[in-house]
Amino acid sequence: MSDTLSQPGLQSLSKSFEPAALEAHWGPEWERRGYALAGFRGTGAPKADAPSFAIQLPPPNVTGTLHMGHAFNQTIMDSLTRYHRMKGDNTLWVPGTDHAGIATQIVVERQLQEQKISRHDLGRKNFVARVWEWKQKSGNTITNQMRRMGDTVDWSREYFTMDEKLSTVVTDTFVRLYEEGLIYRGKRLVNWDPVLKTAVSDLEVESEEEEGFLWHIAYPLDDGSGALTVATTRPETMLGDVAVMVHPEDERYKALIGRQVKLPLVDRLIPVIADDYVDKEFGTGVVKVTPAHDHNDYAVGLRHQLPIIGVLTLDAAINDNAPEKYRGLDRFEARKAVVADLQALGLLVETKKHKLMVPRCARTGAVVEPMLTDQWFVAMTKPDAKGQSIAQKAIDAVRSGEVRFVPENWVNTYNHWMENIQDWTISRQLWWGHQIPAWYDAEGKVYVARSEAEAQAQAPGKKLTRDEDVLDTWYSSALVPFSSLGWPEHTQDYDLYLPSTVLVTGYDIIFFWVARMIMMTKHFTGRVPFGHVYIHGLVRDSHGHKMSKSEGNVLDPVDLIDGIALPELLDKRTQGLRRPETAPTVRKNTQKEFPDGIPAFGADALRFTFASLASLGRNINFDAKRCEGYRNFCNKLWNATRFVLMNCEGQDCGLREHTKEECAPARTDSASGLTIPAGPAHGYLKFSQADRWIASQLQRVEAEVAKGFEEYRLDNVANAIYQFAWDEFCDWYLEIAKVQIQQGEDAQRRATRRTLIRTLEALLRLAHPLIPFITEELWQKVAPVAGRGGESVMVAPYPQSQPGKIDEAAEAHVARVKQLVDACRTLRGEMNVSPAMRLPLYVVADTAASGAFVHEAAPVLQALAKLKEVKVFDDEASWSAAAEAAPVAVVGDVRLCLHMEIDKAAEKARIGKEVARIEGEIAKVNAKLGNEAFVAKAPAAVIEQERKRLADFSATLERLRDQLVRLG
């Protein structure tokens, strides 16, 4: 098939839609031609007077593979990019991958473990070299999968956050912030992974509800007069308690505030303090305070100036601050020992089952510990030399409208976080990443510099040792809006594309990435990183559950594109389960959802599905069955194209200059009464009302699609294109066109072919941003026949609505034809008429104009409603005599009947039901019009509309009752 791709015409178009072949051809072909290069419509150079559209790819982890969230996010971005490229904007989509410090280090360490060696065996230099080696071999998996989705990023500008150029920017910004007094080193409680032995960000911590216990422990008062019972879920940390705490208004304990209790197992006296943080209703209303091992307790400790006693080592074993018998025990072993000893001393009052949220590192599954450690921080609220903090600049950027959130409600989330922001922990205890540019002398004095030589110049004659920590991955990611465009130099890219137009991202990283990009870009460049932030929902499974390998409900986008057999799918879903015992349930659910595996839907069907789901909600429940529907849409478009080419290729489609409508000979059309303008007799076009209607509908859908793109409502874009293509063009216009080509005179056939080919060509351009592969293939066949030049639909002009071509009269005409056809189809259905049986349709109208309308529409009616003939009667008596008791439908002032022998009783019952429905509608309208409040408040147009409905219902009711009388 590949040798026929790109060739025009029907002969080179396969009989069926085969997405794999199209994708294999067009993806590499677009890249070879350079259509995605930054600038004007793939020329690789900007156009001087064109607006700019730029978008930054949220850099996926270099370790990663494409997941559903990526695929959804990138479908939105690529659709926007293709749309603006076709519109003629200077367009740039910047790609890149993130070095993903923790994730990448884990992958390589696991590979080493299989060889029974650790990173410490290799040493830092060799380990980092090993990571680079792995990156070169396996780091392009996700970018290749992006190509499978049809993503048209400018690959010539692809960056990696550890590239030399970006690394230089990372170092430079660190030094600048340090010199401005906005980066410092200090102690703080952080999320600590005891397996990786590093601080981790909140985004890398997943809290899940698990079954646990609530232990009630007696803390004896120092004078032996009683005890306070403390409830805790972590008894091992009591070894580091420095106080017990009650609510200041809790009457049970007011008298004990200021007293002391004896800390069990440690025999240290600690105070009873009061703080509003305590929930009087939880447990006993008394809680332990362990500032070194709880974030909330840490804040309490600072407020009350309590000592901080850490009892855990960095690998979560008990340290030397605890009694000797517990030292060296793993935290969970220590928990058992502490509980046993408390029970032996009679201090364990009660043990209750309790569900609690357990924080685990998403990368290792280890329970995260709050740990007090030395870290590097960026000061968020400290004023700079101009008196403004980094955080305040970002708050002002959104408040002023420089950055706008879509939907706007996310501004509240952003502001809440920004106004309560804490200093940013930017150091990580890893080897892979940007090593912090700080050196220490023997006395521990720090020297921050851009290079070791620069640091040594600050400390002549001293031996310096570099800080071993690396920077948080989010630090370098926060710089990419300007570091990827050449900053600190003012390059052409920097001037054209900063700020970018829109950032497309999920709400889960508003804090971790969006806010930090705004802060850093505003601080270093004075510009905002982007004008709009489009926040979309997160992709979940069809039941609304989070997709997770550990839960066995993940869908792989590539599997949806290529298909996967059931055995392979079951294997994929049962690997990596957090609880292996759930494997039978996972297999059962998978077999129920995909009994035959996943069929190959193709990238276009998957993209169209994603676009249709791109609403403004928080969650997107993905059901693979929707892919099947959009695959069917692609088939429909493919078959429609074959029909159009079959009827237009090699035919006179009225596209030569002398065949334009304005050159046609002046004449009056006998059926419509329309005057056809003058022109050469042999070349004029005779456009029908249906031709004018589909052209009118095209203008409306073009306007609707443009509005959807501008508002980031790709669901509206997808639905508008689907409805126009399937419902209007394929289901109605193509069927009407068949009649016009078969039965019309030359001028009408010519006009029909012109309308067919031109409408289809515009539709392919319209749909291209969402479904690029199939539209490119079909456009290559259609465009030459439609008289449109150009190499590719990807760089063709995007259709623009022309309101002057909206023809309301033609729309009303076709709407009436549809009503007549639908009425006939309804009659056939209600009377169980076989599709193969063609019956005569007898029609009578109350006015001569309506009778003439039906007569004009008869060929279409006959074809679309599968009729033997359409006979219009001049008077009701003749119609009644001929119709006898045949089933009747009423459309406005026209009555229709399919002439056939019927069951009179069944027909009377059918009409009776319709009479009851109409009477109900009349009662509703009368109730509205009889409501004085409604009449007083409703606009005049609404009241008039209700009165018209009442008149129409009343007329229909009268005709139905007449029919009942005829049936006896």
Side-chain angles (χ1 to χ4, degrees), residues 691-709:
D691 299 332
R692 299 177 192 280
W693 161 75
I694 198 66
S696 183
Q697 291 294 102
L698 180 62
Q699 307 316 308
R700 292 191 187 278
V701 75
E702 286 171 352
E704 194 175 348
V705 165
K707 182 172 183 284
F709 273 121

Side-chain angles (χ1 to χ4, degrees), residues 490-512:
H490 278 261
T491 63
Q492 184 182 56
D493 283 356
Y494 179 86
D495 291 334
L496 268 178
Y497 302 119
L498 184 71
S500 61
T501 310
V502 60
L503 176 76
V504 180
T505 188
Y507 62 79
D508 55 332
I509 56 173
I510 289 177
F511 316 137
F512 302 99

